[in-house]
Amino acid sequence: MSVETIDSESLRRAMVDQLADDHVDKGLTLRPEVEAAMRTVPRELFTPGLPPQEAYENRAVITKRRGEENISSVSAPFLIAEMLGQAADALGGLKGRHVLEIGSGGYNASLLRELVGAAGSVTTVDIDSEVTDRAVACLKAAGYDDVKVVCADAEHPVDPGRRYDLIIVTAGAWDIPPAWCEQLTDSGVLVVPLRTFGMTRSWALRRAGVGLVSVSERQCGFVPVQGDGAYDVQYVDVADGVHLRLDEGQSLASQGLEGLLVTPRQEAWAGVSLPPPTVLADLDLWLATRIAAAGQEFVVLTAQDAAISSGVVAPSWRFGTPAVLHDGTLAYRSELRWTGDAFDLGAYAHGPDASAAAAAAGRMVEHMRDWVNAGCPAPALHVLPAQTPDGDLPAGTALDKRHSRIVLAFTTDGREP
């Protein structure tokens, strides 16, 4: 056995040990079969050209770019493990299952091949022939050449008439096309990184009548779906390195935003003391629904490192912080304030009228308190056909997309708060 092989095995063991620890920190459990698969598949064979040390880092590896845009990647190990866990939990295990993966790279398909076993099957599809050619070569090198690789636009049926126990999407989707539902078995599960209110979550969805309903969700980020299912994200500049991300058909004029962040910062705090495992991704979706229900403009603030280090903004997460723009005032969820091992939630606001900005920060913090007082409820997602009448929608906040009417609600022990 070569030194390089020994090093790769050692790196793989260390990576999976870290994933197990990360799951514990998040209050999750790394399923034994997922752990075994990740200890078996040589990730470095799916990241050719990278040193093994980089292949086993807990981050995504970008494999193709178009200009400044990332269009293909090998996903971060922690996210792969969480999504495979979502799928296995929802189906009660993957052994013997027939799986369609949408968005190919080879590594995830090889893990799925380990999980489904000899009685199962894996088909992986991508719209880009360069990506599928690369996946074929990597899968063959790793010994998984029984994975079926298809080059096609998965917005449409991949193999008309065939149905799958699991469809797992490894690209960021804005909607759920009818083909995905049609290709699921009656008890099948769809795991998809779906964007709602400009924020992406990996949802595990089961059939429920004519639609789908979620059984779990995780925070995530992916390169966007291409082809007929693509949907452009719009950005509006607020300051150098600070942008507002728009979605769901929003439009926003940039006039009046320049200089907004140089006005004095107002702040408000919820006065709560929360433990680190608290899932703040759930809070972000709660804020989106409450701000939208109030008739205000919910947006997502993104910031570059330089804008944060210089003190221009101090967001909760630079890649996507909930924000509200109303009457010339911008408020957003702030960085956390820690006291010992617990943290408080806050909001920062800017605007030409200091009292209006202070009130905006206070309103956002009030939504946060409501979430905490409701027991930090988790979101539930319902997906129904686009033609569903309003009267047939479940309670919650509805979003209309191309093919679907999506309803976001919140539950505590299975009840609406």
Side-chain angles (χ1 to χ4, degrees):
M1 183 177 291
S2 69
V3 172
E4 183 177 340
T5 300
I6 294 172
D7 287 345
S8 294
E9 291 180 354
S10 175
L11 290 166
R12 188 156 60 250
R13 286 196 300 272
M15 178 191 77
V16 181
D17 289 345
Q18 180 188 347
L19 295 181
D21 290 342
D22 287 347
H23 273 62
V24 171
D25 290 343
K26 294 177 181 178
L28 305 173
T29 300
L30 181 59
R31 288 183 66 105
E33 69 269 36
V34 173
E35 178 177 347
M38 298 194 81
R39 291 192 186 279
T40 300
V41 175
R43 182 175 164 91
E44 76 273 11
L45 295 183
F46 298 90
T47 58
L50 277 187
Q53 292 87 342
E54 293 185 32
Y56 286 103
E57 289 180 358
N58 197 9
R59 63 177 180 85
V61 175
I62 305 303
T63 55
K64 187 173 182 179
R65 292 180 173 86
R66 182 187 295 128
E68 295 297 317
E69 182 185 17
N70 299 328
I71 61 172
S72 184
S73 69
V74 178
S75 300
F78 80 90
L79 186 49
I80 290 174
E82 289 185 23
M83 290 180 69
L84 291 175
Q86 282 184 280
D89 286 345
L91 284 165
L94 297 181
K95 195 170 184 62
R97 305 291 187 175
H98 301 285
V99 180
L100 173 64
E101 179 196 35
I102 296 173
S104 193
Y107 179 59
N108 197 58
S110 64
L111 292 168
L112 286 164
R113 194 69 194 89
E114 287 284 340
L115 289 166
V116 301
S121 68
V122 177
T123 299
T124 182
V125 58
D126 200 281
I127 196 171
D128 189 330
S129 60
E130 287 186 21
V131 173
T132 52
D133 288 349
R134 182 177 173 280
V136 168
C138 291
L139 285 162
K140 183 176 181 180
Y144 296 97
D145 49 3
D146 56 349
V147 171
K148 183 179 179 180
V149 182
V150 178
C151 183
D153 186 345
E155 178 83 354
H156 312 288
V158 173
D159 190 356
R162 183 176 182 187
R163 299 207 294 172
Y164 299 88
D165 303 302
L166 169 66
I167 297 177
I168 185 165
V169 184
T170 58
W174 184 77
D175 196 4
I176 295 177
W180 297 358
C181 297
E182 292 166 4
Q183 291 175 109
L184 276 181
T185 60
D186 291 344
S187 58
V189 168
L190 170 66
V191 177
V192 55
L194 184 67
R195 199 166 76 237
T196 56
F197 287 108
M199 298 180 289
T200 302
R201 302 289 184 268
S202 171
W203 297 93
L205 301 159
R206 274 206 195 103
R207 284 191 179 278
V210 297
L212 303 167
V213 65
S214 64
V215 294
S216 68
E217 49 88 24
R218 303 281 187 270
Q219 187 172 12
C220 66
F222 277 89
V223 298
V225 161
Q226 301 178 58
D228 290 344
Y231 190 93
D232 291 335
V233 177
Q234 304 296 319
Y235 291 89
V236 175
D237 295 340
V238 184
D240 188 21
V242 183
H243 317 280
L244 300 181
R245 187 167 71 218
L246 312 182
D247 210 339
E248 316 297 349
Q250 288 177 293
S251 62
L252 193 66
S254 59
Q255 290 83 2
L257 296 179
E258 292 181 7
L260 189 60
L261 291 178
V262 301
T263 61
R265 187 176 81 187
Q266 308 298 321
E267 60 185 81
W269 295 92
V272 297
S273 184
L274 298 173
T278 306
V279 183
L280 295 179
D282 295 350
L283 169 61
D284 291 348
L285 289 172
W286 171 278
L287 288 172
T289 61
R290 269 46 187 180
I291 289 167
Q296 298 178 340
E297 195 77 54
F298 178 83
V299 291
V300 177
L301 184 146
T302 65
Q304 296 176 8
D305 281 331
I308 296 173
S309 60
S310 64
V312 174
V313 287
S316 56
W317 188 45
R318 77 178 189 90
F319 294 109
T321 291
V324 56
L325 189 65
H326 184 66
D327 288 343
T329 297
L330 176 68
Y332 61 90
R333 187 162 79 78
S334 72
E335 59 191 350
L336 304 177
R337 186 163 67 183
W338 288 85
T339 303
D341 293 331
F343 61 84
D344 193 5
L345 301 167
Y348 294 154
H350 295 265
D353 184 329
S355 62
R363 284 192 298 271
M364 179 170 269
V365 160
E366 194 59 41
H367 292 313
M368 298 179 195
R369 287 196 197 100
D370 289 344
W371 180 71
V372 173
N373 291 336
C376 302
L381 196 74
H382 302 263
V383 182
L384 294 153
Q387 65 272 20
T388 305
D390 288 350
D392 292 342
L393 295 178
T397 301
L399 296 171
D400 289 322
K401 296 182 179 268
R402 289 173 181 157
H403 307 294
S404 313
R405 302 200 74 185
I406 290 177
V407 178
L408 189 61
F410 286 82
T411 60
T412 304
D413 296 329
R415 300 187 307 274
E416 290 279 330

